[in-house]
């Protein structure tokens, strides 16, 4: 594949951030003015009107008026203002949200990484009174975080073990995970990398010199064709530094495409500025995986952010973590998947919640994920059916799980069931698929239609 050689520019941290007024789009409506009479040598030019100003939903507007009355619309839609005014301590959180005793005591005792951090925009989506509200539970600590259950670990996926050079994880043969930063604009309480995010001066550090060493490692390994930028959140990095990194990676000839893993379009949609999008567009092929949790996150602001990215030719996929009491039911997940498609985001993965230390209150049985997939497949468009995976502890990688649609065998026929529960025959005279299911039934195991699993019958 032919690639344009792009020389990386030196990063300029002091120049990070938006380059134009918030709320202004790069798309303009150039309408032709009526032909002027020959006697009018200087016709008045038609006024240029921006087409896509950044939206502000009625709900968000009311929240801003109540809790940030001194902030202008321009300030609210400035991503840097949002980052500067993140809710980070008990005093500010209490000003906005009526905290439960459990939440208050958990915040008071917190030290180390994974601090409280919520953008004002995302706080507007949280229930201000109900501590059981799904999105609120994902971002406000409770004392369950301090309970470590068997099987949990600070680094359950073994990323540190597979680190080739600081910040670069090389687990799969042809791809790498590039950890760019330890900063997120908003911290999820079930974060897989809770050990390393949000703690300046902690054990994990990130710098452009570290980026360069990681790039040199990729250059020295021609089998690497795919690089996923993650963190922390790469889109919290300023435009100049982020472009330096993208250009540096794009200069590696055998690196075929880049991916960005982010939650910024969901928690800080104002970050998706026309300037950022124009810059990202220069580094195709570039893909983006966006972390969505609940259909309530899909607001006019988020729809606009995703539209800007999609219009720039960036394929968008979603990654959702299955969370107890948040999105662990068919109705919520189906609404999320349907809404994602309306904003041009393709549902990609549903993850079983990783066994990170202090996350047992978020984890569901694996059967829950299988039941959700069974209720989606065939009952709605295939585009709305993501892959359910367990990221295997200890560095085993993503393992996809599917309900079992194989009923068994009858002679030369394979017996299959469909989404409605009907049984169908497929001629498969030389096959062996289905023999295991026959064995299980012959030994008294019971088949559960909702998950496709077999289990001991009730005594």
């Amino acid at each position: 594949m032919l690639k344009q050689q792009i020389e990386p520019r030196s990063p300029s941290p002091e120049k990070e951030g938006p380059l134009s007024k918030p709320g202004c789009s790069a798309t303009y409506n150039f309408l032709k003015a009526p032909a002027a009479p020959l006697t009018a040598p200087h016709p008045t030019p038609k006024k240029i009107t921006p087409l896509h100003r950044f939206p502000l939903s009625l709900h968000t507007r009311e929240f801003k008026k109540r809790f940030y009355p001194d902030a202008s619309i321009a300030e609210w839609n400035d991503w840097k203002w949002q980052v500067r005014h993140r809710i980070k301590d008990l005093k500010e959180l209490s000003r906005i949200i009526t905290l439960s005793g459990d939440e208050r005591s958990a915040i008071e005792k917190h030290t180390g990484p994974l601090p409280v951090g919520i953008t004002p925009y995302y706080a507007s989506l949280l229930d201000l009174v109900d501590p059981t509200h799904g999105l609120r539970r994902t971002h406000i600590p409770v004392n369950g975080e301090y309970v470590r259950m068997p099987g949990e670990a600070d680094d359950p996926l073994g990323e540190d073990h597979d680190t080739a050079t600081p910040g670069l994880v090389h687990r799969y043969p042809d791809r790498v995970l590039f950890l760019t930063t330890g900063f997120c604009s908003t911290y999820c309480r079930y974060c897989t990398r809770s050990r390393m995010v949000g703690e300046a001066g902690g054990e994990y550090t990130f710098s452009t010199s570290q980026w360069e060493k990681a790039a040199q490692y990729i250059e020295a390994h021609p089998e690497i064709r795919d690089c996923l930028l993650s963190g922390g959140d790469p889109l919290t990095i300023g435009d100049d530094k982020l472009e330096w990194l993208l250009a540096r990676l794009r200069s590696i000839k055998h690196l075929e495409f880049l991916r960005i893993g982010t939650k910024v379009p969901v928690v800080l949609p104002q970050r998706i500025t026309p300037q950022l999008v124009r810059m990202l567009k220069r580094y195709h092929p570039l893909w983006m995986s966006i972390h969505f949790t609940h259909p309530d996150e899909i607001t006019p602001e988020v729809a606009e952010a995703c539209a800007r990215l999609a219009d720039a030719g960036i394929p968008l996929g979603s990654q959702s973590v299955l969370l107890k009491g948040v999105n662990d039911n068919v109705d919520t997940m189906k609404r999320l998947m349907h809404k994602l498609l309306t904003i041009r985001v393709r549902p990609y993965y549903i993850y079983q919640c990783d066994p990170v230390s202090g996350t047992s209150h978020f984890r569901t049985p694996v059967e829950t994920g299988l039941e959700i997939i069974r209720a989606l497949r065939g009952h709605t468009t295939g585009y709305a059916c993501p892959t359910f995976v367990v990221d295997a502890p200890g560095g085993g990688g993503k393992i996809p799980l599917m309900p079992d649609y194989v009923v068994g065998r009858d002679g030369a026929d394979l017996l299959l069931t469909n989404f409605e529960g009907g049984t169908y025959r497929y001629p498969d005279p030389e096959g062996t698929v289905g023999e295991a299911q026959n064995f299980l039934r012959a030994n008294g195991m019971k088949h559960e239609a909702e998950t496709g699993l077999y289990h001991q019958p009730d005594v």
Side-chain angles (χ1 to χ4, degrees), residues 224-369:
I224 299 173
R225 52 182 290 275
D226 169 12
C227 179
L228 169 62
L229 303 182
S230 187
D233 199 312
L235 291 188
T236 62
I237 300 169
D239 289 3
D240 285 354
K241 286 183 69 176
L242 182 58
E243 182 166 21
W244 181 89
L245 178 58
L246 292 173
R248 178 67 181 91
L249 293 173
R250 181 54 68 219
S251 71
I252 301 174
K253 294 181 179 180
H254 59 263
L255 199 55
E256 295 178 9
F257 69 102
L258 304 174
R259 291 182 286 154
I260 294 176
T262 180
K263 196 173 174 66
V264 156
V266 181
V267 298
L268 185 62
Q270 298 83 2
R271 172 67 179 105
I272 311 304
T273 63
Q275 293 75 30
L276 173 67
V277 169
R278 281 199 298 270
M279 182 271 285
L280 294 176
K281 192 175 181 179
R282 290 196 284 268
Y283 298 97
H284 280 310
L286 177 68
W287 296 62
M288 192 171 290
S289 295
I290 306 175
H291 178 184
F292 282 91
T293 302
H294 193 277
D296 288 351
E297 291 178 321
I298 302 178
T299 64
E301 292 92 333
V302 170
E304 173 67 17
C306 291
R308 292 180 179 188
L309 293 167
D311 286 347
I314 301 172
L316 307 177
S318 74
Q319 301 191 125
S320 302
V321 180
L322 186 61
L323 300 169
K324 183 187 294 184
V326 179
N327 58 14
D328 60 338
N329 62 81
V330 173
D331 177 65
T332 299
M333 273 297 185
K334 184 181 285 188
R335 286 192 295 119
L336 174 59
M337 301 306 143
H338 287 176
K339 281 192 169 186
L340 287 171
L341 291 178
T342 67
I343 61 171
R344 292 187 281 173
V345 177
R346 168 69 159 90
Y348 183 37
Y349 280 138
I350 293 179
Y351 285 95
Q352 176 70 11
C353 185
D354 294 329
V356 184
S357 300
T359 60
S360 62
H361 55 296
F362 282 121
R363 289 200 300 279
T364 69
V366 173
E367 289 92 325
T368 302

Side-chain angles (χ1 to χ4, degrees), residues 333-334 337 350 372-380 384-386:
M333 273 297 185
K334 184 181 285 188
M337 301 306 143
I350 293 179
I372 289 171
I373 297 300
R374 185 72 181 237
L376 292 175
R377 176 65 62 183
H379 295 274
T380 188
C385 298

Side-chain angles (χ1 to χ4, degrees), residues 160-173:
D160 290 349
H161 176 268
D162 290 326
T163 295
T165 188
L168 192 74
V169 179
H170 192 181
R171 172 176 299 154
Y172 300 100

